[in-house]
Amino acid sequence: MKWTGDLAHFPYPFKDSTYRYSNNSIPMKQPFCIEVTPSYKKEMLLKRKLLSDHPERCYQSLPHSITGQWEIVELLIDHLISQYPQHFSVEKENNSWIFFNKILDEKVEFIFGDENSLSCEPLFFISHHVQEDLIYMRQRDDDLYLDAGQLCFPANWSLAFNIGMKFKNIHHPIPGFKEEGLDQRILQFLMRLEAGTPWERLNWSLMAGDRLDTSLETFDQWGKLRKHVTRENAGELVHIRVEVQKLFRLPRTNSILFSIHTHLLSLEQLSTNREWLQQFYEILSELHAHIVEYKGISHYKASLMHYLEEQLERVKAT
Amino acid sequence: MKNKAVFINGKRKYIFCGDEQGLKLLSNVLEKGKEEGLTYDRYLLSDLKMTLLQDFLKSQKMGTFVYLAIPFLVLQQFRKALEDIGYLEEDVQYIGYGERKIPVFCCRCHEINMSNQEQNRLFCNRCSLELEVSDHYSAMHNAFLGYVAKL
Ligand code: HEM
Ligand SMILES: [Zn+2]
């Protein structure tokens, strides 16, 4: 099964021909935290299978997160029906809600705020209707804590390990992050996040293969493909993985919803855009060794560069 | 991390802190402090209550030096907690005692394995995956993350 997205809608992540870690968040133009793409059905099928087969890996929550979870349900349903009224709708009578997902032909009835009216936790329920992974960060004592989350398509990290963790601690594995004071600056930025003014950022990495579910728990399986990259197959095998990450303040619980929508594109497809190819090549040529290592590119960087050089020559010749 | 306290002179104030066993390990430096006529507090950490200690340490002035003597098993947890409230490496001497083992969280099956401090790699007891111990720490699990050691 191919999970690669289409070129026209791909959130190409680069502006300059160099890449450094920075706070690259920008205010959102359209304040919606979800996006329904043409692969909606396919991805929902995969996501639901992961949620039911591996609940501990894909879903975690602490008991006091329930109120915040309802806030997320409200926000997401609101965004779904205003952004995609042809696909989603809701009927509300006092606290009795009936939610309709017309793409999947489903109807869910529940009492808003009453956990017993659903067969699962509120965040778990709404996760079954959006492509995004959803992380709930609660603000207390001048810090942000990962108090609940649904994560099916992680870029090689473990929600089960990170549950309950503080923002800076979560980012501990990233080389240079603490040393450059970035973790502190980003935390301050997040704590000032205001309701009604959401922000978004793009994060990118490379992977061998086209799996969406690259969890740390299964790294021993999918990570092996890194060793199979050659200059001949790099175009097909290596994918750029871009996460559209959105940050919304939830005013009632003074917490933050962090949503992650993951897109994949093969380098072959990326190379069909001349400017992208040139810029991407320049970025990789110049990328600091510690970032190359952290993003897991070291194994196959040489083959990758050969592949890109060949593509550049091909383009120049035409 | 040490297993014996070393006296450091010239600080504004000292705090000697530990559980019962730990305070015994600090008796030599405490005596030395008394001899030198230094300002100090003795803090008994009953039940290893981290939050109470945090509150106590938060209320101290700049220039306070801390000796903390507790079992190796909980040492990392306390180190993080102290760092969180602004006590840096140079402000604290950590003295551990007892079994020198650290808990390692298996990235594949989530089992928490006990590993010898010295060894950087181990096999998970439950799923047999070879793990490489990292310094990524979770206070909730009181464990360090073990990553896939080799592909
Ligand atoms: C508040 C919600 C956020 C959560 C829950 C979160 C979580 C994470 C996690 C789990 C990782 C992977 C760490 C690992 O290797 O284990 C990561 C990486 C990273 N995060 Fe965040 N993050 C958040 C917000 C942000 C923001 C606002 C920024 C920047 C403005 C940021 C910048 C980064 C960067 C640069 C990386 C490294 C990615 C790479 O090189 O591929 N994060 N984040
Ligand atoms: Zn295991």
Side-chain angles (χ1 to χ4, degrees):
Chain A
M1 222 187 310
K2 275 254 166 242
W3 292 107
T4 44
D6 68 313
L7 211 54
H9 294 106
F10 188 72
Y12 179 74
F14 305 112
K15 294 223 161 50
D16 308 316
S17 53
T18 56
Y19 177 81
R20 300 282 178 275
Y21 286 141
S22 66
N23 185 354
N24 57 347
S25 312
I26 52 167
M28 288 177 67
K29 288 195 195 80
Q30 280 192 312
F32 294 110
C33 66
I34 34 84
E35 194 190 348
V36 173
T37 68
S39 45
Y40 179 84
K41 270 192 177 169
K42 198 167 59 167
E43 286 182 27
M44 290 323 303
L45 216 62
L46 172 63
K47 196 183 194 195
R48 290 175 175 204
K49 180 156 174 43
L50 288 164
L51 281 165
S52 86
D53 292 352
H54 309 282
E56 200 202 345
R57 180 171 111 203
C58 300
Y59 189 80
Q60 291 281 334
S61 68
L62 299 181
H64 50 246
S65 64
I66 300 294
T67 318
Q69 292 191 25
W70 281 114
E71 221 178 335
I72 295 175
V73 169
E74 188 176 17
L75 186 87
L76 287 188
I77 289 185
D78 187 43
H79 288 190
L80 284 170
I81 62 173
S82 34
Q83 180 84 321
Y84 304 102
Q86 71 281 32
H87 297 320
F88 303 93
S89 65
V90 69
E91 286 169 13
K92 298 182 189 175
E93 206 182 299
N94 299 319
N95 282 338
S96 295
W97 294 30
I98 309 176
F99 171 66
F100 297 90
N101 180 334
K102 295 167 205 160
I103 308 179
L104 300 174
D105 194 19
E106 287 174 357
K107 165 180 162 184
V108 187
E109 294 181 55
F110 58 92
I111 316 273
F112 186 86
D114 176 2
E115 210 190 328
N116 296 325
S117 67
L118 285 168
S119 57
C120 57
E121 291 191 354
L123 180 60
F124 195 84
F125 147 65
I126 201 63
S127 295
H128 285 70
H129 298 275
V130 297
Q131 286 161 276
E132 283 74 11
D133 285 320
L134 305 167
I135 307 290
Y136 171 73
M137 302 291 290
R138 195 159 81 107
Q139 191 159 325
R140 76 187 124 91
D141 308 334
D142 280 341
D143 218 322
L144 290 168
Y145 293 79
L146 202 174
D147 274 8
Q150 168 275 306
L151 183 74
C152 290
F153 308 143
N156 207 12
W157 61 283
S158 163
L159 176 66
F161 183 70
N162 282 12
I163 183 76
M165 214 179 260
K166 294 183 197 182
F167 180 82
K168 283 198 220 170
N169 209 351
I170 290 173
H171 290 87
H172 176 86
I174 306 161
F177 224 57
K178 183 174 179 184
E179 293 75 4
E180 290 164 25
L182 258 172
D183 58 354
Q184 177 63 20
R185 289 210 300 279
I186 297 169
L187 175 62
Q188 292 307 326
F189 155 76
L190 288 174
M191 293 205 300
R192 287 194 303 265
L193 189 70
E194 283 173 19
T197 318
W199 291 65
E200 70 181 322
R201 69 179 289 267
L202 300 179
N203 192 55
W204 71 278
S205 65
L206 290 182
M207 64 179 292
D210 62 356
R211 275 173 75 127
L212 274 173
D213 55 332
T214 49
S215 63
L216 187 62
E217 284 81 351
T218 52
F219 177 66
D220 63 313
Q221 301 161 28
W222 59 265
K224 285 197 173 79
L225 268 182
R226 290 177 178 176
K227 297 198 288 197
H228 296 284
V229 177
T230 62
R231 65 196 289 177
E232 288 77 28
N233 70 13
E236 242 183 297
L237 187 55
V238 178
H239 289 72
I240 178 165
R241 185 179 180 99
V242 175
E243 296 180 346
V244 179
Q245 305 180 339
K246 298 179 177 173
L247 296 152
F248 280 76
R249 171 69 70 191
L250 303 170
R252 284 207 298 280
T253 47
N254 194 34
S255 48
I256 290 176
L257 170 66
F258 179 62
S259 71
I260 312 167
H261 194 133
T262 302
H263 302 258
L264 293 178
L265 192 71
S266 70
L267 290 194
E268 207 164 47
Q269 286 174 289
L270 183 122
S271 304
T272 58
N273 182 317
R274 236 180 151 116
E275 278 102 64
W276 289 3
L277 174 63
Q278 178 67 36
Q279 190 179 41
F280 183 58
Y281 175 73
E282 283 166 18
I283 285 170
L284 280 184
S285 312
E286 195 272 343
L287 196 61
H288 286 183
H290 63 271
I291 301 186
V292 172
E293 178 64 30
Y294 175 73
K295 288 186 185 278
I297 310 170
S298 312
H299 265 100
Y300 56 86
K301 172 135 187 238
S303 312
L304 184 63
M305 296 313 280
H306 278 308
Y307 169 78
L308 293 173
E309 278 154 19
E310 275 170 15
Q311 294 307 305
L312 279 167
E313 272 162 34
R314 181 187 52 80
V315 170
K316 277 188 194 122
T318 57
Chain B
M1 264 182 254
K2 295 196 168 73
N3 44 26
K4 200 167 183 318
V6 179
F7 187 69
I8 310 253
N9 214 338
K11 303 287 176 183
R12 195 157 173 263
K13 183 181 174 184
Y14 294 80
I15 294 182
F16 298 100
C17 171
D19 57 352
E20 257 174 68
Q21 175 74 18
L23 282 177
K24 283 185 200 152
L25 295 173
L26 295 180
S27 58
N28 62 327
V29 280
L30 206 152
E31 284 309 316
K32 187 96 178 154
K34 275 189 197 161
E35 273 170 35
E36 306 270 328
L38 303 172
T39 316
Y40 72 90
D41 263 333
R42 194 171 166 280
Y43 186 96
L44 174 65
L45 196 60
S46 45
D47 303 332
L48 296 170
K49 281 260 168 55
M50 184 143 68
T51 46
L52 291 179
L53 176 65
Q54 273 186 313
D55 288 344
F56 173 70
L57 291 179
K58 262 191 216 161
S59 68
Q60 300 297 322
K61 298 214 171 74
M62 292 283 287
T64 302
F65 190 80
V66 181
Y67 285 94
L68 181 62
I70 45 176
F72 275 121
L73 285 179
V74 290
L75 204 75
Q76 282 305 334
Q77 214 174 333
F78 275 78
R79 180 197 295 269
K80 289 271 177 208
L82 261 60
E83 276 175 11
D84 282 350
I85 57 168
Y87 281 83
L88 306 176
E89 203 62 24
E90 57 266 30
D91 308 322
V92 191
Q93 217 175 90
Y94 294 96
I95 294 101
Y97 70 85
E99 261 204 294
R100 218 184 155 94
K101 294 213 165 187
I102 55 167
V104 180
F105 184 96
C106 172
C107 65
R108 186 162 73 182
C109 77
H110 303 166
E111 175 83 350
I112 295 181
N113 297 272
M114 296 312 278
S115 147
N116 288 328
Q117 197 102 66
E118 291 73 25
Q119 71 186 114
N120 177 34
R121 288 190 172 197
L122 70 151
F123 289 91
C124 173
N125 286 327
R126 179 145 120 207
C127 76
S128 308
L129 182 68
E130 188 174 22
L131 299 172
E132 185 171 303
V133 185
S134 73
D135 64 351
H136 192 22
Y137 177 76
S138 154
M140 181 149 280
H141 297 294
N142 180 27
F144 291 86
L145 183 56
Y147 287 97
V148 174
K150 53 174 187 271
L151 279 175

